[in-house]
Amino acid sequence: MQRVEEQIKRLIDEINYEEVSRLFATLSGGKRLRAKLILKIAKDHEDAPLLAAIVELIHAASLLHDDVIDEAMTRRGKASVNATDGSKTAVMLGDILYSKAFTELVVFDKLVAQTIAASVTALSKGEMMDVKMAESFNSDEHLYLDMLYLKTATLIEAAAKASALLAGKNAASHALYGKNLGLSFQIIDDILDITSDAATLGKPAMNDFVEGKCTLPYIYLYHAMDEQDKHRLVSLHTKELSSEDAEWIKANMKHYQTIEKSFALAQKLSNEAQEAMKDDEELVAILETMIKRSY
Ligand code: FPP
Ligand code: MG
């Protein structure tokens, strides 16, 4: 991973603007999941650290823009750039990181570059769908999963596929692994938003629903409820939840086992990913750690 951090530093230095270096230094790097995946899959390839750095810059850019769009004041437990330096700066920093990443991407094989580039179009489309879908209560599970795939799984899928291409490994099975890892990761994140407390989350619990996001446990709940309860649930969408309303939602989720049902889907996707990668212990271990984050 040190080689990835060195590449990231080199790319930022090459932008040659003190303000960018200063702002970038304030960002928390996060788990670097995508970079770790690339290094594991293409560990012997000399360009793997650069590819990993490119993908991390794209991811960082997408989060900068996402925090502007979501008007989020914190990111990874720190104040967001839009909170400290304003939305204009956050957008511009995102633009610089994103275009620097693409400038570097052109040195790669056409198929590798295309894989990453296409995923960024998909992720941007997914973000737009997410915002649109939050405007009203969405009860369509397939639409939700399509959006989730585009917004969060495509870049992980592309990272896995592109590094497999680089390493001469099976691109399709690695792509499937990345896609399902991304999807189950996000489904578990959605579950944790409901089951964890504010201190663990670093933001209020059940914040997704307040922000308009009808995640799987809410979608399943809607379909399980009678008309009267459906009406009450929909009326709470995007509202600040009183503790009574929050408890009502949670009690019904327990009654109809909608958290368990959501977890079962994450588990199924994770099992499929495991099946695709059964000979690779390290990649299987990543899946297991991720699934265990739940509850
Ligand atoms: C987080 O979602 C958002 C994303 C993973 C993708 C955002 C993508 C864009 C803004 C497209 C623009 C892309 C570039 C490269 C400039 P979330 O709000 O559900 O999660 P959060 O809780 O982490 O904010
Ligand atoms: Mg967000």
Side-chain angles (χ1 to χ4, degrees):
M1 279 304 287
Q2 201 197 326
R3 286 184 304 157
V4 178
E5 298 303 332
E6 281 165 15
Q7 286 293 334
I8 293 177
K9 187 178 180 314
R10 178 178 70 81
L11 300 184
I12 299 300
D13 287 350
E14 277 179 15
I15 295 165
N16 194 23
Y17 188 30
E18 217 182 281
E19 185 63 358
V20 168
S21 303
R22 178 188 75 78
L23 287 164
F24 189 78
T26 67
L27 304 179
S28 147
K31 297 180 284 294
R32 300 260 194 253
L33 168 74
R34 293 153 191 82
K36 284 181 184 149
L37 199 57
I38 292 170
L39 286 195
K40 278 203 192 330
I41 296 171
K43 55 167 87 64
D44 300 323
H45 198 287
E46 60 172 352
D47 287 335
L50 175 60
L51 184 65
I54 289 170
V55 170
E56 287 297 330
L57 288 194
I58 293 172
H59 181 53
S62 77
L63 297 181
L64 283 162
H65 286 188
D66 178 66
D67 285 342
V68 172
I69 295 163
D70 287 349
E71 297 173 0
M73 293 299 120
T74 57
R75 166 63 59 188
R76 292 164 178 161
K78 295 173 98 177
S80 58
V81 174
N82 46 305
T84 57
D85 292 74
S87 290
K88 289 182 184 178
T89 301
V91 169
M92 293 185 290
L93 182 63
D95 289 341
I96 290 173
L97 299 183
Y98 168 64
S99 43
K100 178 63 180 165
F102 267 65
T103 309
E104 296 295 313
L105 191 60
V106 298
V107 305
F108 283 87
D109 269 2
K110 198 172 167 187
L111 201 52
V112 171
Q114 263 174 355
T115 300
I116 300 293
S119 79
V120 183
T121 311
L123 127 116
S124 309
K125 194 173 126 187
E127 177 82 349
M128 204 162 183
M129 280 171 77
D130 189 23
V131 171
K132 191 91 201 124
M133 283 163 65
E135 286 172 5
S136 58
F137 188 98
N138 169 60
S139 61
D140 184 337
E141 177 187 358
H142 295 289
L143 185 63
Y144 180 70
L145 290 173
D146 283 350
M147 180 279 290
L148 220 54
Y149 164 57
L150 292 171
K151 194 187 66 167
T152 43
T154 37
L155 189 57
I156 303 174
E157 178 186 37
K161 183 180 171 186
S163 47
L165 287 168
L166 212 57
K169 293 182 176 173
N170 185 322
S173 64
H174 282 81
L176 174 72
Y177 170 89
K179 175 181 175 175
N180 283 18
L181 172 69
L183 277 173
S184 43
F185 184 90
Q186 191 57 48
I187 293 171
I188 288 178
D189 233 45
D190 293 348
I191 292 175
L192 293 174
D193 176 81
I194 301 162
T195 57
S196 301
D197 55 23
T200 317
L201 290 167
K203 58 183 176 185
M206 301 178 87
N207 196 45
D208 284 346
F209 197 57
V210 177
E211 281 184 354
K213 296 175 186 178
C214 296
T215 58
L216 282 185
Y218 294 92
I219 294 175
Y220 294 149
L221 181 60
Y222 175 85
H223 290 290
M225 283 176 150
D226 65 23
E227 289 308 315
Q228 201 183 347
D229 282 351
K230 269 191 175 101
H231 190 76
R232 178 168 173 191
L233 182 65
V234 173
S235 76
L236 296 175
H237 179 246
T238 69
K239 307 275 175 359
E240 286 298 333
L241 295 174
S242 67
S243 53
E244 190 198 334
D245 289 332
E247 284 315 314
W248 177 76
I249 292 176
K250 281 201 201 183
N252 276 285
M253 284 183 172
K254 195 165 179 197
H255 177 67
Y256 292 112
Q257 301 199 318
T258 71
I259 300 281
E260 288 79 356
K261 200 172 166 203
S262 309
F263 184 70
L265 179 62
Q267 182 86 62
K268 177 174 164 272
L269 291 164
S270 167
N271 289 346
E272 277 172 26
Q274 190 159 340
E275 188 56 30
M277 279 305 122
K278 54 175 177 287
D279 299 326
D280 192 321
E281 275 173 32
E282 283 187 323
L283 293 185
V284 169
I286 293 181
L287 279 168
E288 280 164 1
T289 337
M290 193 259 319
I291 281 287
K292 281 191 201 122
R293 289 188 309 145
S294 192
Y295 298 106

